[in-house]
């Protein structure tokens, strides 16, 4: 790297920005790089949606409650900060779909709603005989001929029919993004399904051939921390260089000055930076980089508001116990809730003995007003929904309601193409500025951590350009 101290500024202290700061500072220290790294967060805490409430012996997650075990970047970060001994897998058990007021077990062998075993699909009451026959057309329909993107819903409806999509696939997939399956981008959310169809000529055949056989002692697919996911945020923050994190401060404007950048802070200060990693939500970027009109498409990318409602009860208050870990709700059902986790069953460590913890979810595109209702009203609505299914005695001992206003970016059709075009402009007009975070290439914790790691590689590569004897990723890869 060229002589002289250089500065990298990371904007946004959610899990993406935290990851980038941690791995970049690790590379700087271990490789003795002539770099300074600063992290700026507009609020007074780090972690973004990762927040945990400890109350009366309960562990309650306000935002994400876990991460996919098969995506290894989250576990790697957990291990980096010495929390691997706190990892737990979710308890396995039945999950249900709520359709027309009745809970149906998700058919065995379903992968994101796609059947890999025929018998459970044929015997389920989720679909009518006509719906099952329509789904069988998947075996004979030719693969779709499409050069570009398409709605996720249209892709699945063509292959499996409306009934399977509305009663199974839509509740499972739209819940991940809090989105409308008929507006969501196939290529930005689940491109692997398109690839299966193209390769095997059938979604069912492709899913069956590529899904590993279940092991006898199969662990849950998700992991979390017994100490709550916020403990990961806290441990990462402890390891950042003293004085390198600035909270309660916004970056209001970024302008290019030759080969560097000038950052105007809400405090009135001005910083100089050689490279910038932006991890803020997409709708903030056009104002921060107002001199660059190519960010304008970010203004029209929708954001959905959602809320989680954690309800604590004595276990005996649940009069009609159900064997399972939770359910998702068909969009065509007359319920305000979109899903419910029986947290005391899925994550036993979260709940004291003799207690029950239910976590409901509300808010979806076109039905977001519920998020703005008073706490008491949200609790009443969720309890009314739950009592149609579970029969619960009395009121909860307490409730923890977490509102996430305009917090879920919608990867609508054309998302990847829009992002690729913006990144091409950035490479030309804003070299050394990089985007990462949930608005861009994945919402889940591992996806955000992956983007933070990749941003570090991009920064080191950019700052090392023109140095013939230094591998572009040497410092980062060895530090990791």
């Amino acid at each position: 790297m060229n002589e002289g101290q250089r500065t990298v500024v990371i904007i946004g202290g959610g899990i993406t920005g935290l990851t980038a700061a941690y791995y970049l500072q690790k590379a700087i220290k271990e490789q003795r790089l002539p770099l300074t790294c600063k992290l700026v967060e507009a609020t007074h805490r780090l972690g973004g949606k990762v927040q945990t409430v400890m109350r009366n012996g309960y562990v309650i997650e306000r935002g994400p409650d876990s991460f996919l075990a098969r995506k290894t970047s989250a576990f790697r970060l957990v291990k980096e900060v010495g929390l691997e001994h706190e990892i737990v897998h979710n308890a396995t058990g039945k999950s249900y779909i709520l359709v027309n007021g009745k809970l149906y077990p998700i058919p065995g062998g379903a992968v994101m709603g796609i059947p890999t075993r025929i018998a459970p699909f044929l015997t389920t009451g989720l679909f009518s005989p006509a719906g099952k026959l329509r789904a069988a057309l998947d075996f004979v329909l030719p693969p779709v001929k499409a050069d570009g993107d398409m709605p996720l819903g249209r892709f699945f409806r063509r292959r499996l029919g409306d009934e399977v999509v509305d009663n199974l696939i839509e509740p499972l997939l739209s819940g991940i993004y809090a989105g409308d399956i008929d507006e969501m981008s196939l290529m930005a959310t689940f491109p692997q399904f398109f690839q299966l169809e193209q390769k095997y000529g059938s979604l069912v055949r492709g899913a069956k051939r590529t899904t590993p056989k279940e092991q006898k002692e199969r662990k849950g697919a998700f992991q979390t921390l017994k100490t709550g996911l916020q403990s990961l945020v806290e441990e990462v923050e402890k390891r950042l260089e003293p004085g390198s994190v600035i909270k309660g401060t916004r970056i209001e404007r970024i302008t290019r000055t030759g080969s560097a950048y000038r950052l105007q802070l809400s405090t009135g200060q001005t910083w100089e930076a050689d490279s910038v990693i932006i991890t803020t939500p997409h709708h903030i970027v056009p104002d921060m980089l107002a001199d660059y009109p190519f960010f304008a498409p970010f203004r029209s990318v929708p954001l959905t508001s959602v809320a989680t409602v954690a309800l604590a009860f004595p276990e005996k208050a649940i009069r009609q116990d159900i064997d399972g870990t939770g359910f998702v709700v068909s969009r065509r059902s007359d319920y305000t809730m979109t899903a419910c986790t029986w947290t005391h069953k899925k994550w036993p460590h979260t709940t004291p003995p003799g207690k029950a913890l239910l976590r409901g979810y509300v808010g979806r595109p076109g039905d977001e007003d519920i998020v703005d209702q008073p706490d008491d009203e949200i609790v009443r609505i969720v309890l009314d929904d739950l009592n149609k299914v579970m029969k619960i005695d009395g009121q909860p001992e307490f409730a923890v309601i977490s509102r996430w206003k305009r917090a879920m970016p919608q990867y609508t059709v054309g998302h990847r193409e829009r992002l690729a075009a913006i990144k091409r402009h950035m490479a030309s007009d804003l070299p050394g500025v990089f985007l990462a975070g949930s608005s861009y290439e994945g919402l889940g914790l591992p996806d955000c951590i992956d983007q933070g790691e990749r941003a570090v590689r991009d920064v080191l590569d950019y700052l090392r350009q023109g140095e013939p004897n230094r591998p572009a990723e040497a410092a980062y890869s060895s530090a990791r």
Side-chain angles (χ1 to χ4, degrees):
M1 207 165 282
N2 295 333
E3 292 298 322
Q5 193 82 359
R6 290 177 156 193
T7 299
V8 179
V9 175
I10 300 167
I11 305 173
I15 195 65
T16 310
L18 268 175
T19 298
Y22 174 81
Y23 283 119
L24 182 54
Q25 289 188 7
K26 183 178 180 182
I28 291 169
K29 184 177 180 180
E30 295 189 355
Q31 299 298 313
R32 299 179 182 177
L33 300 175
L35 289 177
T36 298
C37 169
K38 296 179 181 179
L39 172 65
V40 187
E41 165 57 37
T43 71
H44 292 278
R45 64 172 298 278
L46 300 182
K49 299 185 189 76
V50 181
Q51 298 182 26
T52 307
V53 173
M54 301 288 195
R55 183 168 173 181
N56 299 347
Y58 291 86
V59 182
I60 298 171
E61 299 291 358
R62 286 188 176 275
D65 69 355
S66 59
F67 48 87
L68 270 172
R70 64 178 172 80
K71 295 187 175 183
T72 59
S73 58
F75 177 79
R76 190 165 58 243
L77 185 60
V78 167
K79 189 175 180 181
E80 281 278 340
V81 298
L83 288 175
E84 66 269 29
H85 61 286
E86 301 290 354
I87 285 276
V88 289
H89 285 261
N90 64 289
T92 56
K94 289 182 182 177
S95 296
Y96 297 85
I97 305 278
L98 181 59
V99 178
N100 297 324
K102 184 177 178 181
L103 290 176
Y104 294 89
I106 295 176
V111 176
M112 292 294 186
I114 302 169
T116 61
R117 288 157 43 196
I118 302 303
F121 188 81
L122 291 176
T123 57
T124 181
L126 260 176
F127 320 115
S128 67
K132 294 172 185 178
L133 283 173
R134 171 60 184 86
L137 289 179
D138 174 67
F139 289 107
V140 296
L141 285 171
V144 66
K145 293 180 180 178
D147 295 327
D149 202 358
M150 70 176 69
L152 192 59
R154 190 175 90 195
F155 174 77
F156 280 116
R157 292 181 193 282
R158 178 181 177 273
R159 296 234 55 96
L160 298 168
D162 289 342
E163 202 172 324
V164 171
V165 171
D166 291 338
N167 290 0
L168 181 58
I169 291 176
E170 187 276 334
L172 291 173
L173 299 192
S174 65
I176 297 172
Y177 290 88
D180 182 345
I181 194 172
D182 293 308
E183 301 289 336
M184 290 161 58
S185 159
L186 170 66
M187 294 306 185
T189 56
F190 297 100
Q192 66 269 32
F193 292 140
F194 174 76
Q195 293 157 7
L196 286 180
E197 184 215 37
Q198 295 295 306
K199 182 174 181 179
Y200 296 100
S202 156
L203 275 182
V204 175
R205 194 157 44 234
K208 186 174 183 178
R209 291 186 183 179
T210 56
T211 301
K213 292 182 179 179
E214 290 185 350
Q215 299 175 359
K216 289 183 180 179
E217 295 183 1
R218 180 172 163 268
K219 291 182 177 180
F222 295 91
Q223 295 176 326
T224 194
L225 297 173
K226 286 183 286 185
T227 48
L229 289 174
Q230 187 173 315
S231 63
L232 173 60
V233 171
E234 291 166 353
E235 289 300 321
V236 173
E237 184 176 2
K238 284 178 189 175
R239 286 160 173 77
L240 299 182
E241 289 294 321
S244 66
V245 176
I246 296 88
K247 301 176 188 176
T249 301
R250 296 186 312 278
I251 301 295
E252 296 189 333
R253 191 75 175 255
I254 303 173
T255 52
R256 187 175 176 184
T257 57
S259 61
Y261 296 92
R262 179 173 292 117
L263 283 61
Q264 295 177 2
L265 281 62
S266 57
T267 59
Q269 292 176 285
T270 300
W271 288 353
E272 299 293 326
D274 297 281
S275 184
V276 182
I277 298 173
I278 301 172
T279 72
T280 60
H282 61 274
H283 64 282
I284 296 173
V285 176
D287 289 334
M288 201 159 41
L289 286 154
D291 295 337
Y292 301 91
F294 55 80
F295 289 109
F298 281 159
R299 296 187 187 279
S300 59
V301 175
L303 287 150
T304 303
S305 297
V306 297
T308 64
V309 186
L311 305 174
F313 293 94
E315 202 165 32
K316 61 185 179 183
I318 314 296
R319 286 173 51 207
Q320 181 181 332
D321 193 26
I322 300 170
D323 176 27
T325 57
F327 60 88
V328 293
V329 183
S330 166
R331 186 170 59 180
R332 298 184 183 276
S333 296
D334 187 22
Y335 286 78
T336 301
M337 271 197 318
T338 59
C340 178
T341 301
W342 301 319
T343 306
H344 59 294
K345 294 187 174 186
K346 186 174 182 179
W347 302 107
H349 72 278
T350 63
T351 311
K355 302 292 185 179
L357 181 61
L358 309 180
R359 192 183 194 218
Y361 302 78
V362 296
R364 68 176 101 201
D367 187 20
E368 300 174 59
D369 290 346
I370 178 66
V371 178
D372 293 318
Q373 295 298 312
D375 285 5
D376 290 349
E377 180 65 7
I378 292 178
V379 170
R380 184 191 68 77
I381 290 169
V382 169
L383 271 179
D384 284 350
D385 279 356
L386 286 172
N387 271 305
K388 296 174 188 175
V389 179
M390 299 180 61
K391 297 179 183 175
I392 301 171
D393 277 338
Q395 294 296 307
E397 294 178 349
F398 66 87
V400 175
I401 297 174
S402 307
R403 293 173 177 82
W404 299 105
K405 301 284 192 70
R406 301 187 72 232
M408 302 297 289
Q410 299 300 295
Y411 292 7
T412 53
V413 174
H415 176 85
R416 289 206 312 187
E417 290 78 5
R418 288 190 294 271
L419 185 59
I422 287 170
K423 286 189 172 184
R424 284 195 296 271
H425 283 295
M426 290 176 68
S428 172
D429 296 357
L430 295 167
V433 178
F434 304 98
L435 294 174
S438 61
S439 282
Y440 311 110
E441 296 179 89
L443 297 178
L445 286 178
D447 298 318
C448 290
I449 292 168
D450 285 337
Q451 292 178 72
E453 291 186 355
R454 186 162 59 247
V456 172
R457 293 197 295 269
D458 289 340
V459 164
L460 293 178
D461 190 9
Y462 168 73
L463 294 177
R464 198 173 284 114
Q465 284 176 4
E467 296 182 34
N469 297 318
R470 295 293 299 275
E473 298 182 11
Y476 172 79
S477 59
S478 63
R480 209 184 74 181

